Amino acid sequence: MLNADALNQLRQLKTDIKDNKVVHSGTVKATNGRFGFVALDEGRDVFLPPEEMQKVLPGDRVTVSEVPGEKGRTQGLVETLEATSLTTFVGRYLVKGKGHFVAPETPGIGRWIFIPPKERQDAKPDDFIYCRILRHPIKDGKGQAQILRVIGKAGDPGIERNFTLASFDMDDEFPEAVRSQADALSEESITPLVEGREDRTGQPYVTIDSPGTQDMDDALLVEPNATGWRLSVAIADPTALVPQDSPADVEARKRATAIYFPGEPRPMLPDAISTRLCSLMPEVDRLALVCDLQVNNDGSLGEFRFHQAVIRSRGKLSYELVNQLLDDQHNEETDALAPEITNNLDQLHQAATALRKWRSDHALLNTDRPEFRLRLDENRRIRTIEPAVQNEAHRLVEECMVAANRCAAQFLSELDHGLFITHPGIRDDRTDNIRTLLERYAPELASIDPSSPEGFRDLMVRTADLDAEVPVKTIIARQLARAEMAFEAAPHQGMGLPAYTTFTSPLRRYVDFYVHRLIKAALWQEQHQTMAREGLEQLQSAQIQARQASNSLENWLKSDYARQLEEGATFTGVITRTLPAGFFVRLDDNGLEGFVSCKTLSGKYSFDPVTLRLEATKGARIFQLDQAVTVKFSGVDEERRQIHFELVADSVESPAE
C-alpha cells in the first residue's frame, strides 16, 4: 500500500503530465472506412483510429492529443468535445436480439446507434427513420438516438422523396403560421395594392412556359422602335403580398429556393401565393414589377426603367407552341392566336436574336449540353427518361430574362447595398494547372491570363473550336469555381458579364425576392431591412443544400431505374469526369451517368491533374474527357446509390492514336 507521500507524488505526476500534454483543436472528418481524421485548425490532419472514431461524429469540433501509432506515424486521441453540429440524421431501424438500433445512412457514421425503449415510436424492422442524437458517444463510444419520425419502408410510393427531405433536414409542410398567412389572402387582398401602380392591363403581355407550370414568374411584351425594340419584362410581385419578416417571408428565406424534385416540387412559397394570387395567370389582373428596357438593333442595351404595374396576361403559351409559330408551322393552335399576340412573338424573337448575338460577340453563352426529363409512374419511380430539347422559344425567354437581370445588376451597382451573383472563373488552386495545360497543348494561348475576367472570356471563346490533342475547353470547364452571392458587384466570369443578379423568379428564388425589395426600397422608399452578412451565408448554404437534395433524389431514382437495363446490353456514351480511381460515363440515349472503376480495366493507370487524363502505365491507352466509349451495366452501389458500368473490351481507341 502506498503511503500518503507516495500518493501525493503520483497525483502530482498525473497533474504534470496533463498540464504538459499538447492538445490541438480541429474538426472531425469521416471516411468511407471505420477510421477518420481531425482537420486541425493549424492546417494539417491527424489520423483517428477506429476506436477513437467511435467517440465522435462527422463535423464535431474536438481537441486531440497525439501519440505514437503504427509504422512510425502519430495518431490522435480525442480529449474533449467542444461542439457538435450533427444533431439529426436518417437511417434504417434494425433489431438484433434484444437490442434495437438505427443504422445511419448519413455518410461517415459507420456504426449502429442504440435506441432506448421509450424512444422507438413503434418503428418496425427495416423502416427508414428520422432520428436525433440523444446521447453523444464522446464518453465511451456508445451513443444513443431518439426516433423523431418513421419515414416508411423501401418500396413505398414516394419514399425516395420523403427520405431525401429528412436526410437534408427539410420540412415538406409549411409551418402553421405560414399556412394561416397564406389562407388569409384572397383576390380581394390585391385590390387595395393596385392604387398608385401603372395600369397595363390593356397591353398584350404573354407568358411562355411549360404546360404544367403554375407558378408563372414572367410575362413579355415588345414594341419595335427607330433604334431597335422597347422590351417590357413583367415579373410577378410577391413582395407586395408578403410583408418583410412575416412568417411566409421568414420561411421563404429559410428554404431559399423552390426545389423541382421529379414528380412533386417543394415550393418556396405556399401555393396560394406562388400558383394563384401572384402567378401571372392569363386573363386576371396581377401585380408586377416591370423592367422596360431599350434593346438596340445590335443587341446592346440602352436605357431602362422599373415600374410597379398591374398587368393582365393575354395567354399562357407553351414553349412548343411558340416554337412552332417561330418555325412557321401552322396548326389549329397557332392559327387561333390573336394577331396582336403573333406580332408580339415575332418581334420578341427578333429582339431575342439580337440580344443573343450581342452576348455571343461580347460575353459568353452557355453551351447547350443534352438534358433529359424524368417521367415518373404511379409509384413515383422513373417510367421513362426523355430528351429535353431546348428550342428557339426557350432561348427567346432566356435572352429576355438575362437582359432584364443585367439591368437590375446595373441598377444595384449604383446603390450602397445590393445582392449580386458573382463567378470568379477558374478555381484558384487550379490556375497553375491551366497555365501548364495551355503551354503544352495550346502554346498560342499561353500568354493569356486565365485568372482575369478578360483573359477567361478570351480563353473560353478561343478554345471553343480549338483543334488540339486534348479537349482544352472541357478541361477548363471542369475546374471552374462555384457561383457565389455577394453584396458588392463583381464579374460573373461564367457569363462574361461585369455584374449580374437575378430578379426574374421571385416565386421560386429568395435572391430574386430580396432583389425586388431592394429595387422597391430605392425607387419608392418602401421599408426594407438589409440582409446581414450572416444572413447571406445562410441563404447561400440553403441554396447549396437544395441543389444537393435534388441531385441526391435524382441519383436514387436513376440508380433504381438502371436495374431495368438489359443484362449484357451495350450502350454508347461519353466520358464526363475523370478521377484517379476511374471515370464517369454519360449514356447518349438517356443521360444516365455511371462509374467505370480502374479496377475493372486491364493494367494500371495514373491520373494527370493537368489534362485530367487517365493514362496506362504500360502501353498507350488513355481515357479523357469528351471521349466516346461503349459500356455495359454492371450493377449499383447500394450505399452510394451509384450506377456502375464496365468498359466493353476494345470499344475505344486511345485519343493519342
Side-chain angles (χ1 to χ4, degrees):
M1 179 180 295
L2 297 176
N3 59 32
D5 288 342
L7 285 172
N8 286 334
Q9 290 176 4
L10 182 59
R11 292 191 189 100
Q12 185 61 46
L13 178 62
K14 290 181 177 179
T15 301
D16 291 342
I17 291 173
K18 183 176 181 180
D19 290 342
N20 293 326
K21 184 184 294 184
V22 178
V23 297
H24 309 273
S25 293
T27 303
V28 174
K29 295 195 306 184
T31 67
N32 291 328
R34 296 178 58 222
F35 62 90
F37 296 89
V38 175
L40 301 184
D41 295 344
E42 63 190 54
R44 62 188 179 91
D45 289 353
V46 172
F47 175 75
L48 281 187
E51 59 271 19
E52 292 300 303
M53 274 299 290
Q54 286 288 106
K55 302 176 185 178
V56 293
L57 300 170
D60 280 353
R61 289 285 301 170
V62 297
T63 60
V64 294
S65 59
E66 291 183 89
V67 298
E70 297 179 356
K71 299 180 180 179
R73 67 178 181 179
T74 62
Q75 63 185 39
L77 290 180
V78 178
E79 297 290 339
T80 61
L81 175 69
E82 295 183 329
T84 185
S85 58
L86 197 156
T87 55
T88 58
F89 64 97
V90 292
R92 197 184 293 265
Y93 190 69
L94 300 176
V95 178
K96 187 174 182 180
K98 294 184 179 181
H100 293 238
F101 304 88
V102 55
E105 298 223 356
T106 298
I109 310 181
R111 93 292 298 260
W112 295 0
I113 300 176
F114 179 70
I115 303 176
K118 293 182 179 180
E119 310 295 347
R120 294 172 185 169
Q121 296 278 7
D122 296 324
K124 302 296 187 293
D126 290 329
D127 277 347
F128 285 121
I129 52 179
Y130 177 55
C131 301
R132 180 175 71 87
I133 295 292
L134 195 62
R135 176 177 176 237
H136 196 282
I138 187 67
K139 290 184 178 180
D140 54 10
K142 298 178 181 179
Q144 292 185 4
Q146 169 193 34
I147 297 179
L148 299 177
R149 184 171 74 250
V150 175
I151 302 171
K153 276 188 166 53
D156 289 351
I159 186 66
E160 298 87 355
R161 182 180 184 278
N162 295 337
F163 182 89
T164 299
L165 287 172
S167 298
F168 287 88
D169 280 321
M170 294 178 175
D171 294 322
D172 203 10
E173 297 295 327
F174 284 98
E176 175 59 34
V178 178
R179 296 198 300 271
S180 297
Q181 180 181 350
D183 291 344
L185 295 173
S186 65
E187 292 288 342
E188 287 70 30
S189 305
I190 298 174
T191 304
L193 301 173
V194 169
E195 186 177 352
R197 289 177 175 252
E198 291 186 24
D199 183 356
R200 297 196 178 185
T201 55
Q203 299 181 15
Y205 286 92
V206 293
T207 62
I208 305 172
D209 219 316
S210 300
T213 300
Q214 298 300 317
D215 52 346
M216 288 169 282
D217 283 301
D218 56 88
L220 300 172
L221 175 69
V222 73
E223 296 175 355
N225 55 32
T227 57
W229 302 265
R230 176 183 174 271
L231 173 63
S232 183
V233 180
I235 304 300
D237 190 8
T239 60
L241 284 175
V242 181
Q244 182 167 307
D245 294 329
S246 65
D249 181 39
V250 172
E251 181 67 13
R253 191 186 318 144
K254 176 184 173 183
R255 294 190 175 207
T257 179
I259 308 177
Y260 287 90
F261 289 127
E264 186 180 354
R266 178 182 183 257
M268 184 184 79
L269 292 164
D271 283 347
I273 298 171
S274 62
T275 67
R276 297 202 297 276
L277 297 177
C278 291
S279 179
L280 302 184
M281 300 184 296
E283 303 306 333
V284 292
D285 291 354
R286 286 293 177 259
L287 307 177
L289 180 61
V290 180
C291 178
D292 290 337
L293 60 144
Q294 174 66 28
V295 178
N296 297 321
N297 286 317
D298 63 354
S300 61
L301 301 185
E303 293 184 352
F304 63 87
R305 290 188 64 188
F306 292 98
H307 307 267
Q308 293 188 93
V310 183
I311 74 159
R312 189 179 184 88
S313 171
R314 288 294 185 272
K316 177 191 175 185
L317 311 180
S318 70
Y319 289 114
E320 182 61 28
L321 175 63
V322 173
N323 191 62
Q324 289 172 353
L325 187 69
L326 299 180
D327 279 351
D328 203 24
Q329 300 177 24
H330 291 278
N331 53 45
E332 288 186 8
E333 281 190 283
T334 59
D335 292 343
L337 295 174
E340 61 181 2
I341 292 179
T342 57
N343 291 337
N344 183 23
L345 292 172
D346 179 63
Q347 292 297 325
L348 279 170
H349 186 221
Q350 293 183 44
T353 301
L355 286 167
R356 193 166 187 84
K357 184 179 186 307
W358 185 93
R359 285 214 296 146
S360 177
D361 293 341
H362 301 280
L364 286 174
L365 296 175
N366 291 327
T367 304
D368 290 339
R369 61 166 282 179
E371 298 289 342
F372 295 86
R373 184 179 294 110
L374 308 183
R375 300 292 190 187
L376 306 190
D377 60 20
E378 63 276 8
N379 293 316
R380 300 186 189 177
R381 292 182 179 83
I382 297 176
R383 182 179 70 249
T384 59
I385 302 179
E386 303 170 352
V389 179
Q390 295 289 309
N391 58 37
E392 274 301 299
H394 289 93
R395 286 185 276 273
L396 181 159
V397 173
E398 178 187 1
E399 292 306 324
C400 294
M401 297 305 107
V402 170
N405 285 332
R406 288 170 57 198
C407 294
Q410 183 177 332
F411 177 79
L412 293 183
S413 297
E414 300 170 2
L415 302 179
D416 292 334
H417 182 90
L419 186 57
F420 301 90
I421 312 299
T422 68
H423 186 267
I426 297 168
R427 287 169 46 180
D428 289 341
D429 61 335
R430 302 296 176 89
T431 303
D432 288 342
N433 283 351
I434 298 303
R435 288 194 173 100
T436 302
L437 175 74
L438 298 177
E439 290 170 1
R440 289 185 192 173
Y441 299 98
E444 68 275 22
L445 306 180
S447 61
I448 295 176
D449 178 9
S451 63
S452 71
E454 299 78 12
F456 178 80
R457 182 190 175 276
D458 191 21
L459 194 59
M460 298 306 283
V461 169
R462 295 179 64 181
T463 55
D465 299 313
L466 184 67
D467 184 13
E469 183 181 335
V470 298
V472 175
K473 184 172 182 178
T474 304
I475 294 170
I476 295 172
R478 291 299 311 177
Q479 301 179 83
L480 300 184
R482 177 187 287 132
E484 299 175 344
M485 291 182 287
F487 291 139
E488 301 80 25
H492 192 300
Q493 295 196 34
M495 298 183 71
L497 296 172
Y500 194 68
T501 192
T502 54
F503 91 107
T504 53
S505 291
L507 301 178
R508 309 175 188 183
R509 293 191 300 250
Y510 195 80
V511 169
D512 305 52
F513 188 92
Y514 182 78
V515 169
H516 274 230
R517 292 204 190 282
L518 290 176
I519 293 172
K520 293 165 79 172
L523 291 177
W524 301 290
Q525 290 72 54
E526 290 195 9
Q527 289 188 345
H528 170 65
Q529 184 176 352
T530 58
M531 187 183 299
R533 183 72 58 182
E534 181 182 1
L536 181 67
E537 293 171 355
Q538 291 172 348
L539 183 61
Q540 179 141 304
S541 177
Q543 278 194 340
I544 293 172
Q545 187 183 53
R547 193 177 306 118
Q548 291 172 338
S550 179
N551 292 340
S552 178
L553 177 56
E554 283 202 15
N555 288 341
W556 189 343
L557 293 173
K558 287 177 179 178
S559 64
D560 280 348
Y561 178 80
R563 295 186 179 90
Q564 305 174 22
L565 299 178
E566 184 180 347
E567 186 175 351
T570 60
F571 306 90
T572 60
V574 295
I575 296 177
T576 56
R577 187 153 57 104
T578 53
L579 304 168
F583 53 87
F584 286 87
V585 175
R586 185 181 66 241
L587 301 187
D588 297 328
D589 289 343
N590 53 27
L592 289 180
E593 287 201 350
F595 186 64
V596 176
S597 171
C598 284
K599 295 178 181 179
T600 64
L601 303 173
S602 58
K604 294 184 178 180
Y605 288 81
S606 62
F607 181 74
D608 181 0
V610 172
T611 61
L612 307 185
R613 280 177 159 187
L614 279 168
E615 303 179 10
T617 54
K618 292 183 180 180
R621 203 173 203 192
I622 292 173
F623 296 103
Q624 70 177 23
L625 298 175
D626 289 349
Q627 189 173 348
V629 293
T630 303
V631 295
K632 62 181 179 181
F633 173 66
S634 64
V636 172
D637 182 330
E638 297 291 347
E639 184 176 345
R640 299 185 184 182
R641 298 192 176 98
Q642 183 183 85
I643 301 169
H644 281 188
F645 294 138
E646 288 184 10
L647 193 71
V648 174
D650 301 322
S651 68
V652 61
E653 293 183 353
S654 168
E657 293 178 357

